[in-house]
Amino acid sequence: ILAGSYNPPHLGHLAMLEYLSNRYTRVIAVVGFNPNKKYPVSPGQRKELLEEMLEGTASNNIEVAVVDGYIWRYGKRIGASTFFRGIRSWEKDGKDERALQILNTWGPMV
């Protein structure tokens, strides 16, 4: 799983997905969203944009899913073995990503 808001999907996301596609049998780009945030583009639209971008690649083992709620629960339900996230920089995303890492690490064990 490569989880993110994909708001909007861009070439960096595409590069990460292609990289993972070459190393794993199945890759799922999970479009996550926080119901308490306002997004200019809906999660469904971001999914469609990402799928359109993927059509132009040689990767045929990437799926796109919209997930509300805890992504680790979705990953556990589908039997995912690895969870990836990208950050812009530690200064911009570090604190929030650290909190998500703790939640995603400890959540399945509680």
Side-chain angles (χ1 to χ4, degrees), residues 35-107:
N36 298 321
K37 286 186 179 180
K38 293 273 187 199
Y39 296 100
V41 180
S42 75
Q45 291 169 314
R46 287 180 265 152
K47 176 183 187 281
E48 290 174 10
L49 288 168
L50 195 51
E51 287 172 336
E52 287 175 19
M53 292 173 71
L54 289 166
E55 286 176 8
T57 70
S59 303
N60 59 4
N61 61 339
I62 302 173
E63 303 167 36
V64 183
V66 175
V67 174
D68 65 351
Y70 295 115
I71 296 171
W72 66 262
R73 286 184 178 151
Y74 169 78
K76 187 174 180 180
R77 187 172 65 247
I78 65 165
S81 62
T82 311
F83 190 121
F84 294 94
R85 291 202 35 105
I87 64 171
R88 293 169 287 193
S89 70
W90 189 254
E91 290 77 30
K92 286 185 179 187
D93 299 328
K95 185 177 179 182
D96 291 337
E97 289 299 324
R98 182 66 176 139
L100 283 172
Q101 178 194 17
I102 292 167
L103 175 67
N104 288 319
T105 300
W106 286 95

Side-chain angles (χ1 to χ4, degrees), residues 5-27:
S5 64
Y6 296 96
N7 188 37
H10 54 72
L11 295 178
H13 295 131
L14 193 59
M16 290 174 68
L17 288 165
E18 288 180 307
Y19 175 85
L20 294 172
S21 172
N22 290 325
R23 284 152 184 78
Y24 293 89
T25 307
R26 180 180 180 209
V27 177

